[in-house]
Amino acid sequence: MKITWVTRSFLDYRIPVFKALDEMCGHQLTVVYYKDIPPKRTQDKLKAVLGDRAIARERELRIGNRPKVDNASKANSSIRIPLSPGLIKQVMQTKPDVLVSDGFMQWTYAALVTRFLKGVPHVMCYERTKHTERNAGKLRTAYRKFVSHWIDAIDCNGVQTEEYLAEIGYPKNRLTHGHMVADVVGLSKAVAETSDDVVSTLRDMLGCKNTMILFVGQLIPRKGVKELIEAWCSFKEREESDVTLVYVGNGAQMGEIKQLITDKNIPDVVLAGAVDYDLIAPYYKAADCFIIPTLEDNWSLVVPEAMACGLPIATSKYNGCHPELVHPENGWVFDPLDKDSIVRTLQEIVKRSADLKQMGEVSREIVSHHTPERAAQSIMDACYIAINHRKKHGK
């Protein structure tokens, strides 16, 4: 089966999925993307897997007020329509049996036009949830309902994505689940190879005497980092135990967070700054629990990464991955817009400090089932659904 995936952008976590999907379809996967966005290391990895079937395009025009790369904005807070001259022609030249696209926008227009003109079955990988799309607006929603006629099957992140698609009327019998998966093998291996001496030195440097709660991500409004700091202040006023909150990452709110810590004299917070991905394993091994207070995330990849490193998870209810990955046996789900909800969760982490290691082992077990092979199979299943739908309903 010849599959052409029009993706515009991708990161390292996609490479194992591309590799597994390529093997499943008989080494007939082609990936078309925009050369200016993925890091060179990631493009090199894709080339190593697909060779000439990794097609990097160099031209793009953008309509709207959003930059070509923007991970900080909340969903639907701006608009960007990217157009690559010649993309549709190039996609058609690959002569696919099935098309795969990412989301309703980006470069999906090429798959939609090819499906409309040539009748090629079209699978879309979709990540959004009811929460991230709560402000989508009537025009965006009407567009999605209209173009869904040229989407034969959709592979969802999880149940929260399915709930949103049900709201816009997409049929459940043409959905599969599970295309989003973190590349956790390298990170978990690096954690296993990190010595106890390295961990001890790091904890001493961070000032962690007992329980260490770790956040890894951008320090931006969308991640709820300010809400967590303010809740941490209230928590420390009530809790006298030795527990340290460590932020790994940088971003627009770094200065604001520093000032807040100083003004309120908030204890036991460490702002470690940005840490290179290749050097982050000791932080995961040193931690006792992982926390992510995001106000809006489709599927936080740091969650399965932390789980693969053996950490229990405290996550926001606005994180699309929590129904699949976070359960009472391995973590907590809280509302970051409710300070008391965060405080109660922090108190629970401290209260169950003796159980955190075992909870982390449950995390390992849960995430072990979310593999690149499983993700690739869900996409293949969607491809077969799309082909059958085309056969039944014609062009």
Side-chain angles (χ1 to χ4, degrees), residues 330-344:
N330 77 310
W332 301 266
V333 178
F334 59 87
D335 185 351
L337 298 177
D338 179 351
K339 183 188 291 187
D340 287 339
S341 177
I342 305 177
V343 171
R344 286 193 299 270

Side-chain angles (χ1 to χ4, degrees), residues 76-79 135-145:
N76 303 307
S77 60
S78 58
I79 186 170
N135 298 318
K138 293 182 180 179
L139 185 60
R140 288 180 195 260
T141 302
Y143 162 77
R144 291 168 183 174
K145 289 180 178 180

Side-chain angles (χ1 to χ4, degrees), residues 2 30 135 146 294 370 384:
K2 293 180 69 176
T30 297
N135 298 318
F146 176 71
T294 182
H370 293 259
Y384 289 120

Side-chain angles (χ1 to χ4, degrees), residues 213-216 228 245 289-293 314-315 334 342 346 349:
I213 301 176
L214 177 68
F215 166 87
V216 177
L228 177 58
L245 174 64
C289 185
F290 187 85
I291 191 164
I292 178 163
T315 186
F334 59 87
I342 305 177
L346 293 170
I349 293 171

Side-chain angles (χ1 to χ4, degrees), residues 29 31 48-49 88 197 243 256 261 267 303 320 332 356-357 368 383:
L29 172 66
V31 175
V49 171
I88 296 172
D197 287 342
V243 55
E256 183 180 2
I261 292 170
V303 169
W332 301 266
L356 295 179
K357 188 174 180 60
S368 70
C383 288

Side-chain angles (χ1 to χ4, degrees), residues 26-305:
H27 298 288
Q28 297 186 88
L29 172 66
T30 297
V31 175
V32 183
Y33 67 94
Y34 184 31
K35 188 177 181 179
D36 280 10
I37 297 183
K40 184 179 183 301
R41 69 168 191 278
T42 315
Q43 297 186 48
D44 290 343
K45 290 177 183 178
L46 183 64
K47 289 284 186 183
V49 171
L50 299 183
D52 292 341
R53 289 178 284 118
I55 301 175
R57 291 188 55 81
E58 299 187 6
R59 295 181 62 202
E60 184 181 76
L61 305 173
R62 283 176 295 280
I63 301 171
N65 59 352
R66 191 173 173 187
K68 68 179 180 183
V69 180
D70 181 11
N71 294 321
S73 299
K74 290 186 177 181
N76 303 307
S77 60
S78 58
I79 186 170
R80 178 191 61 213
I81 303 174
L83 304 171
S84 181
L87 175 60
I88 296 172
K89 180 180 180 181
Q90 188 159 37
V91 169
M92 289 183 179
Q93 287 174 342
T94 65
K95 298 181 178 179
D97 298 313
V98 182
L99 294 157
V100 179
S101 65
D102 283 316
F104 284 100
M105 297 296 291
Q106 303 300 321
W107 280 4
T108 298
Y109 76 89
L112 291 168
V113 173
T114 303
R115 165 65 172 80
F116 178 75
L117 295 177
K118 299 293 184 179
V120 180
H122 175 202
V123 171
M124 186 178 76
C125 294
Y126 198 57
E127 303 177 13
R128 303 285 190 160
T129 69
K130 287 200 299 184
H131 179 70
T132 56
E133 295 310 290
R134 66 196 183 282
N135 298 318
K138 293 182 180 179
L139 185 60
R140 288 180 195 260
T141 302
Y143 162 77
R144 291 168 183 174
K145 289 180 178 180
F146 176 71
V147 302
S148 65
H149 293 93
W150 294 279
I151 303 171
D152 298 287
I154 296 179
D155 192 327
C156 307
N157 262 3
V159 295
Q160 291 202 343
T161 299
E162 179 183 318
E163 289 171 359
Y164 173 68
L165 291 170
E167 284 193 353
I168 65 172
Y170 198 84
K172 186 175 181 178
N173 64 349
R174 283 156 50 197
L175 300 178
T176 59
H177 299 79
H179 71 85
M180 183 60 72
V181 60
D183 182 13
V184 299
V185 175
L187 184 57
S188 57
K189 182 173 182 289
V191 167
E193 293 173 350
T194 300
S195 70
D196 291 340
D197 287 342
V198 169
V199 170
S200 179
T201 300
L202 177 61
R203 285 179 64 94
D204 287 344
M205 182 186 75
L206 296 172
C208 298
K209 299 174 184 178
N210 199 341
T211 304
M212 171 179 161
I213 301 176
L214 177 68
F215 166 87
V216 177
Q218 293 176 286
L219 272 60
I220 56 176
R222 187 168 62 84
K223 294 297 181 180
V225 290
K226 184 178 178 182
E227 285 77 5
L228 177 58
I229 284 290
E230 291 176 339
W232 181 264
C233 181
S234 297
F235 162 71
K236 293 302 287 187
E237 289 172 353
R238 309 176 199 178
E239 188 72 45
E240 295 182 358
S241 59
D242 289 329
V243 55
T244 305
L245 174 64
V246 177
Y247 274 12
V248 171
N250 209 336
Q253 282 191 297
M254 174 65 89
E256 183 180 2
I257 298 300
K258 283 183 178 179
Q259 192 63 50
L260 192 60
I261 292 170
T262 300
D263 292 345
K264 295 191 175 184
N265 195 27
I266 305 175
D268 301 318
V269 180
V270 179
L271 302 180
V275 175
D276 189 272
Y277 188 80
D278 293 335
L279 303 175
I280 204 167
Y283 287 85
Y284 279 111
K285 189 163 186 177
D288 298 290
C289 185
F290 187 85
I291 191 164
I292 178 163
T294 182
L295 304 183
E296 179 183 286
D297 258 319
N298 296 315
W299 190 277
S300 295
L301 290 169
V302 288
V303 169
E305 287 178 351

